[in-house]
Amino acid sequence: MSVNGHGEPSFRQSVDLMFNRAVALMDLSPGLEEKIRVCNSTYTVRFGVRLRGELKTFTGYRSVHSEHMEPVKGGIRYATSVNQDEVEALAALMTYKCALVETPFGGSKGGLCIDPRQWDEHELEQITRRFAYELIKRDLIHPAQNVPAPDMGTGEREMAWIADQYMRMNTTDINGRACVTGKPPHAGGIQGRVEATGRGVQYAMREFFRHPEDKAKAGLTGDIEGKRIIVQGLGNVGYHAAKFLSEEDGGLITAIIEHDGALVNEKGLDVEDVRQWLKKTGSIKGYANATFVVDGPKVLENDCDILIPAALEGVIHLGNAANIKAPLIFEAANGPVTFGADEILRNKGTLIVPDMYANAGGVTVSYFEWVKNLSHIRFGRMQRRAEEARSRLLVEELERLSADQGLGWSLTPDFKKEFLEGSDELALVRSGLDDTMRTAYQAMREVWHGRNGVEDLRVAAYIVAISRVAASYKSKGL
Ligand code: GLU
């Protein structure tokens, strides 16, 4: 099964081939190598729901790639393109992603073959609850064993239904809410989860630009400010990444590619404005402040400094890799570059910041949410006012000293406000995410620059991740 009709290996095979490149540079026993590579299990369920006067059958999957740590973690995708090969590839990527950013989970992924736009909210609720019921029954949704999250086509609403379904079926489980992450804050979610993957892309890019040696490899200098960025996909990930990079870091979003075309504006697009237009009309067509291009995928080949594919897998393939002009690709989607395309890009010097790192912000904040659910208290609740009180003591003492000694110091109101503010949950989540993205990048680049034969960040990321999974298997006696 080809991922995109270019006669290339399937998505899962592509992930395995990337894995193989990394293990060729490692010293693992063939048995352990095989154990880590293979997907442990994939459960397929076909269930019926009575809708619109008829019995409709749906097909869903939950794949568990590795249980070296439990629970296993990974999103649930709703799309008509969902299939077993894709779910298994995504589950494998979850294993490596979790290991790379040190979230204590194995890898899993789920999917339901459905076009969510074809169904009303109450119908989607019935379908989701039924799918969840099938998975809960088999412990494929469980706070200690398997914890899903949102992915393409799902969000807070679906996660709230899943959590509620679990709690209806497990009324005495005090940790029931930890059975799924990405819930809305009123249903046990955490601040900052919705923006997390896009925010993680921003923190990853900031960290990349802190290393002159690394940017030089992509022929770039300076920081994000003024860089011409093309984003593919204005869904949750692409939208937040583009918004933060343009509004907070001065990046210029010179093109946004959607499924029905692309918007191009060399002066930079107003991301929020485009998103509102897309929400209102259901399409980017007709948006005023840009040129509309019908052939969206062709815009991936436009001149720019940074390309952020934030939509589907396999969008950069043997058919277009040679034409990609961006010297730097940030993989906000899972698997946007096929194995074959990766090779072409590497040979022509394109630098790729790989998916398992670039989009790990989502699972990182999911981890914080899971910990919050298990500890039954929101982050910052105990410390925030104590932190404020200590800061106030210091400010008052400084002001007293200044007055007593006639020094005439005065702290600016902005400084005082910021300094005196204790960290709330959102600030703590962002701080934890920032730290995670910095630490993981440093682990990757250490291998990239310090280990013989490692040419690129993707192989480096795999090596870091696989070493950690291997260590965990070894300590289990395998
Ligand atoms: N679906 C997201 C991913 O691909 C998030 C997974 C999670 O939070 O468990 O990483």
PDB file of all heavy atoms in Angstrom, residues 359-378:
ATOM      1  N   ASN A 359       6.394  18.144  16.747  1.00  0.00           N
ATOM      2  CA  ASN A 359       4.975  18.197  17.152  1.00  0.00           C
ATOM      3  C   ASN A 359       4.726  17.538  18.514  1.00  0.00           C
ATOM      4  O   ASN A 359       3.588  17.213  18.849  1.00  0.00           O
ATOM      5  CB  ASN A 359       4.076  17.619  16.052  1.00  0.00           C
ATOM      6  CG  ASN A 359       4.179  16.115  15.904  1.00  0.00           C
ATOM      7  OD1 ASN A 359       4.378  15.400  16.889  1.00  0.00           O
ATOM      8  ND2 ASN A 359       4.020  15.608  14.704  1.00  0.00           N
ATOM      9  N   ALA A 360       5.771  17.411  19.318  1.00  0.00           N
ATOM     10  CA  ALA A 360       5.625  16.714  20.600  1.00  0.00           C
ATOM     11  C   ALA A 360       4.978  17.573  21.699  1.00  0.00           C
ATOM     12  O   ALA A 360       4.753  17.096  22.810  1.00  0.00           O
ATOM     13  CB  ALA A 360       6.983  16.205  21.074  1.00  0.00           C
ATOM     14  N   GLY A 361       4.667  18.817  21.374  1.00  0.00           N
ATOM     15  CA  GLY A 361       4.046  19.684  22.385  1.00  0.00           C
ATOM     16  C   GLY A 361       2.704  19.152  22.873  1.00  0.00           C
ATOM     17  O   GLY A 361       2.347  19.314  24.044  1.00  0.00           O
ATOM     18  N   GLY A 362       1.973  18.513  21.983  1.00  0.00           N
ATOM     19  CA  GLY A 362       0.651  18.005  22.342  1.00  0.00           C
ATOM     20  C   GLY A 362       0.732  16.942  23.421  1.00  0.00           C
ATOM     21  O   GLY A 362       0.101  17.037  24.479  1.00  0.00           O
ATOM     22  N   VAL A 363       1.556  15.941  23.179  1.00  0.00           N
ATOM     23  CA  VAL A 363       1.626  14.852  24.164  1.00  0.00           C
ATOM     24  C   VAL A 363       2.310  15.327  25.450  1.00  0.00           C
ATOM     25  O   VAL A 363       2.005  14.829  26.543  1.00  0.00           O
ATOM     26  CB  VAL A 363       2.294  13.591  23.573  1.00  0.00           C
ATOM     27  CG1 VAL A 363       3.795  13.696  23.481  1.00  0.00           C
ATOM     28  CG2 VAL A 363       1.916  12.371  24.407  1.00  0.00           C
ATOM     29  N   THR A 364       3.167  16.314  25.334  1.00  0.00           N
ATOM     30  CA  THR A 364       3.822  16.839  26.543  1.00  0.00           C
ATOM     31  C   THR A 364       2.778  17.444  27.490  1.00  0.00           C
ATOM     32  O   THR A 364       2.750  17.151  28.689  1.00  0.00           O
ATOM     33  CB  THR A 364       4.878  17.902  26.156  1.00  0.00           C
ATOM     34  OG1 THR A 364       5.842  17.284  25.303  1.00  0.00           O
ATOM     35  CG2 THR A 364       5.561  18.472  27.373  1.00  0.00           C
ATOM     36  N   VAL A 365       1.895  18.274  26.917  1.00  0.00           N
ATOM     37  CA  VAL A 365       0.880  18.886  27.782  1.00  0.00           C
ATOM     38  C   VAL A 365      -0.181  17.853  28.181  1.00  0.00           C
ATOM     39  O   VAL A 365      -0.761  17.927  29.262  1.00  0.00           O
ATOM     40  CB  VAL A 365       0.300  20.161  27.131  1.00  0.00           C
ATOM     41  CG1 VAL A 365      -0.805  20.754  27.991  1.00  0.00           C
ATOM     42  CG2 VAL A 365       1.422  21.198  26.930  1.00  0.00           C
ATOM     43  N   SER A 366      -0.387  16.841  27.344  1.00  0.00           N
ATOM     44  CA  SER A 366      -1.257  15.728  27.750  1.00  0.00           C
ATOM     45  C   SER A 366      -0.708  15.067  29.013  1.00  0.00           C
ATOM     46  O   SER A 366      -1.458  14.679  29.906  1.00  0.00           O
ATOM     47  CB  SER A 366      -1.317  14.660  26.650  1.00  0.00           C
ATOM     48  OG  SER A 366      -2.284  14.978  25.686  1.00  0.00           O
ATOM     49  N   TYR A 367       0.603  14.935  29.046  1.00  0.00           N
ATOM     50  CA  TYR A 367       1.246  14.350  30.231  1.00  0.00           C
ATOM     51  C   TYR A 367       0.938  15.202  31.469  1.00  0.00           C
ATOM     52  O   TYR A 367       0.547  14.676  32.522  1.00  0.00           O
ATOM     53  CB  TYR A 367       2.753  14.251  29.969  1.00  0.00           C
ATOM     54  CG  TYR A 367       3.623  13.934  31.153  1.00  0.00           C
ATOM     55  CD1 TYR A 367       3.260  12.954  32.080  1.00  0.00           C
ATOM     56  CD2 TYR A 367       4.831  14.604  31.349  1.00  0.00           C
ATOM     57  CE1 TYR A 367       4.076  12.665  33.171  1.00  0.00           C
ATOM     58  CE2 TYR A 367       5.649  14.320  32.434  1.00  0.00           C
ATOM     59  CZ  TYR A 367       5.264  13.351  33.344  1.00  0.00           C
ATOM     60  OH  TYR A 367       6.066  13.077  34.422  1.00  0.00           O
ATOM     61  N   PHE A 368       1.043  16.526  31.313  1.00  0.00           N
ATOM     62  CA  PHE A 368       0.739  17.402  32.455  1.00  0.00           C
ATOM     63  C   PHE A 368      -0.729  17.226  32.880  1.00  0.00           C
ATOM     64  O   PHE A 368      -1.045  17.217  34.065  1.00  0.00           O
ATOM     65  CB  PHE A 368       1.006  18.868  32.108  1.00  0.00           C
ATOM     66  CG  PHE A 368       2.434  19.153  31.674  1.00  0.00           C
ATOM     67  CD1 PHE A 368       2.721  20.247  30.857  1.00  0.00           C
ATOM     68  CD2 PHE A 368       3.498  18.343  32.074  1.00  0.00           C
ATOM     69  CE1 PHE A 368       4.028  20.517  30.448  1.00  0.00           C
ATOM     70  CE2 PHE A 368       4.809  18.602  31.668  1.00  0.00           C
ATOM     71  CZ  PHE A 368       5.071  19.689  30.850  1.00  0.00           C
ATOM     72  N   GLU A 369      -1.600  17.086  31.900  1.00  0.00           N
ATOM     73  CA  GLU A 369      -3.028  16.919  32.220  1.00  0.00           C
ATOM     74  C   GLU A 369      -3.262  15.604  32.971  1.00  0.00           C
ATOM     75  O   GLU A 369      -4.012  15.558  33.960  1.00  0.00           O
ATOM     76  CB  GLU A 369      -3.859  16.940  30.926  1.00  0.00           C
ATOM     77  CG  GLU A 369      -5.362  16.764  31.173  1.00  0.00           C
ATOM     78  CD  GLU A 369      -6.190  16.864  29.890  1.00  0.00           C
ATOM     79  OE1 GLU A 369      -5.768  17.551  28.935  1.00  0.00           O
ATOM     80  OE2 GLU A 369      -7.275  16.245  29.850  1.00  0.00           O
ATOM     81  N   TRP A 370      -2.613  14.565  32.521  1.00  0.00           N
ATOM     82  CA  TRP A 370      -2.768  13.244  33.154  1.00  0.00           C
ATOM     83  C   TRP A 370      -2.282  13.312  34.610  1.00  0.00           C
ATOM     84  O   TRP A 370      -2.937  12.842  35.540  1.00  0.00           O
ATOM     85  CB  TRP A 370      -1.968  12.243  32.322  1.00  0.00           C
ATOM     86  CG  TRP A 370      -1.982  10.814  32.769  1.00  0.00           C
ATOM     87  CD1 TRP A 370      -3.020   9.944  32.678  1.00  0.00           C
ATOM     88  CD2 TRP A 370      -0.888  10.087  33.341  1.00  0.00           C
ATOM     89  NE1 TRP A 370      -2.638   8.710  33.158  1.00  0.00           N
ATOM     90  CE2 TRP A 370      -1.332   8.773  33.567  1.00  0.00           C
ATOM     91  CE3 TRP A 370       0.428  10.410  33.670  1.00  0.00           C
ATOM     92  CZ2 TRP A 370      -0.521   7.784  34.121  1.00  0.00           C
ATOM     93  CZ3 TRP A 370       1.241   9.435  34.221  1.00  0.00           C
ATOM     94  CH2 TRP A 370       0.766   8.142  34.446  1.00  0.00           C
ATOM     95  N   VAL A 371      -1.120  13.979  34.807  1.00  0.00           N
ATOM     96  CA  VAL A 371      -0.585  14.130  36.174  1.00  0.00           C
ATOM     97  C   VAL A 371      -1.557  14.951  37.030  1.00  0.00           C
ATOM     98  O   VAL A 371      -1.830  14.628  38.184  1.00  0.00           O
ATOM     99  CB  VAL A 371       0.808  14.809  36.139  1.00  0.00           C
ATOM    100  CG1 VAL A 371       1.277  15.180  37.539  1.00  0.00           C
ATOM    101  CG2 VAL A 371       1.830  13.890  35.476  1.00  0.00           C
ATOM    102  N   LYS A 372      -2.105  16.001  36.436  1.00  0.00           N
ATOM    103  CA  LYS A 372      -3.078  16.836  37.152  1.00  0.00           C
ATOM    104  C   LYS A 372      -4.287  15.997  37.577  1.00  0.00           C
ATOM    105  O   LYS A 372      -4.753  16.083  38.713  1.00  0.00           O
ATOM    106  CB  LYS A 372      -3.539  17.975  36.245  1.00  0.00           C
ATOM    107  CG  LYS A 372      -4.656  18.816  36.822  1.00  0.00           C
ATOM    108  CD  LYS A 372      -5.171  19.841  35.822  1.00  0.00           C
ATOM    109  CE  LYS A 372      -6.307  20.648  36.431  1.00  0.00           C
ATOM    110  NZ  LYS A 372      -6.841  21.648  35.509  1.00  0.00           N
ATOM    111  N   ASN A 373      -4.788  15.159  36.671  1.00  0.00           N
ATOM    112  CA  ASN A 373      -5.943  14.329  36.987  1.00  0.00           C
ATOM    113  C   ASN A 373      -5.630  13.338  38.100  1.00  0.00           C
ATOM    114  O   ASN A 373      -6.460  13.077  38.972  1.00  0.00           O
ATOM    115  CB  ASN A 373      -6.422  13.558  35.745  1.00  0.00           C
ATOM    116  CG  ASN A 373      -7.001  14.459  34.674  1.00  0.00           C
ATOM    117  OD1 ASN A 373      -6.985  14.123  33.496  1.00  0.00           O
ATOM    118  ND2 ASN A 373      -7.513  15.616  35.041  1.00  0.00           N
ATOM    119  N   LEU A 374      -4.418  12.790  38.080  1.00  0.00           N
ATOM    120  CA  LEU A 374      -4.057  11.800  39.101  1.00  0.00           C
ATOM    121  C   LEU A 374      -3.793  12.467  40.449  1.00  0.00           C
ATOM    122  O   LEU A 374      -3.978  11.858  41.503  1.00  0.00           O
ATOM    123  CB  LEU A 374      -2.832  10.993  38.666  1.00  0.00           C
ATOM    124  CG  LEU A 374      -3.026  10.113  37.435  1.00  0.00           C
ATOM    125  CD1 LEU A 374      -1.734   9.385  37.089  1.00  0.00           C
ATOM    126  CD2 LEU A 374      -4.157   9.093  37.632  1.00  0.00           C
ATOM    127  N   SER A 375      -3.362  13.733  40.402  1.00  0.00           N
ATOM    128  CA  SER A 375      -3.073  14.400  41.680  1.00  0.00           C
ATOM    129  C   SER A 375      -4.294  15.167  42.188  1.00  0.00           C
ATOM    130  O   SER A 375      -4.296  15.655  43.327  1.00  0.00           O
ATOM    131  CB  SER A 375      -1.849  15.306  41.568  1.00  0.00           C
ATOM    132  OG  SER A 375      -2.033  16.189  40.511  1.00  0.00           O
ATOM    133  N   HIS A 376      -5.317  15.278  41.345  1.00  0.00           N
ATOM    134  CA  HIS A 376      -6.582  15.887  41.753  1.00  0.00           C
ATOM    135  C   HIS A 376      -6.446  17.328  42.233  1.00  0.00           C
ATOM    136  O   HIS A 376      -7.184  17.770  43.097  1.00  0.00           O
ATOM    137  CB  HIS A 376      -7.276  15.026  42.826  1.00  0.00           C
ATOM    138  CG  HIS A 376      -7.569  13.640  42.355  1.00  0.00           C
ATOM    139  ND1 HIS A 376      -8.743  13.296  41.723  1.00  0.00           N
ATOM    140  CD2 HIS A 376      -6.805  12.523  42.369  1.00  0.00           C
ATOM    141  CE1 HIS A 376      -8.697  12.019  41.380  1.00  0.00           C
ATOM    142  NE2 HIS A 376      -7.529  11.522  41.759  1.00  0.00           N
ATOM    143  N   ILE A 377      -5.463  18.031  41.692  1.00  0.00           N
ATOM    144  CA  ILE A 377      -5.317  19.443  42.063  1.00  0.00           C
ATOM    145  C   ILE A 377      -4.695  20.177  40.888  1.00  0.00           C
ATOM    146  O   ILE A 377      -3.859  19.618  40.173  1.00  0.00           O
ATOM    147  CB  ILE A 377      -4.445  19.582  43.346  1.00  0.00           C
ATOM    148  CG1 ILE A 377      -4.436  21.030  43.842  1.00  0.00           C
ATOM    149  CG2 ILE A 377      -3.030  19.064  43.158  1.00  0.00           C
ATOM    150  CD1 ILE A 377      -3.914  21.183  45.264  1.00  0.00           C
ATOM    151  N   ARG A 378      -5.140  21.401  40.668  1.00  0.00           N
ATOM    152  CA  ARG A 378      -4.572  22.111  39.516  1.00  0.00           C
ATOM    153  C   ARG A 378      -3.183  22.643  39.857  1.00  0.00           C
ATOM    154  O   ARG A 378      -2.883  22.945  41.028  1.00  0.00           O
ATOM    155  CB  ARG A 378      -5.497  23.227  39.047  1.00  0.00           C
ATOM    156  CG  ARG A 378      -5.525  24.432  39.910  1.00  0.00           C
ATOM    157  CD  ARG A 378      -6.148  25.654  39.262  1.00  0.00           C
ATOM    158  NE  ARG A 378      -5.989  26.749  40.210  1.00  0.00           N
ATOM    159  CZ  ARG A 378      -6.873  27.080  41.125  1.00  0.00           C
ATOM    160  NH1 ARG A 378      -8.020  26.428  41.202  1.00  0.00           N
ATOM    161  NH2 ARG A 378      -6.632  28.056  41.967  1.00  0.00           N
TER     162      ARG A 378
END
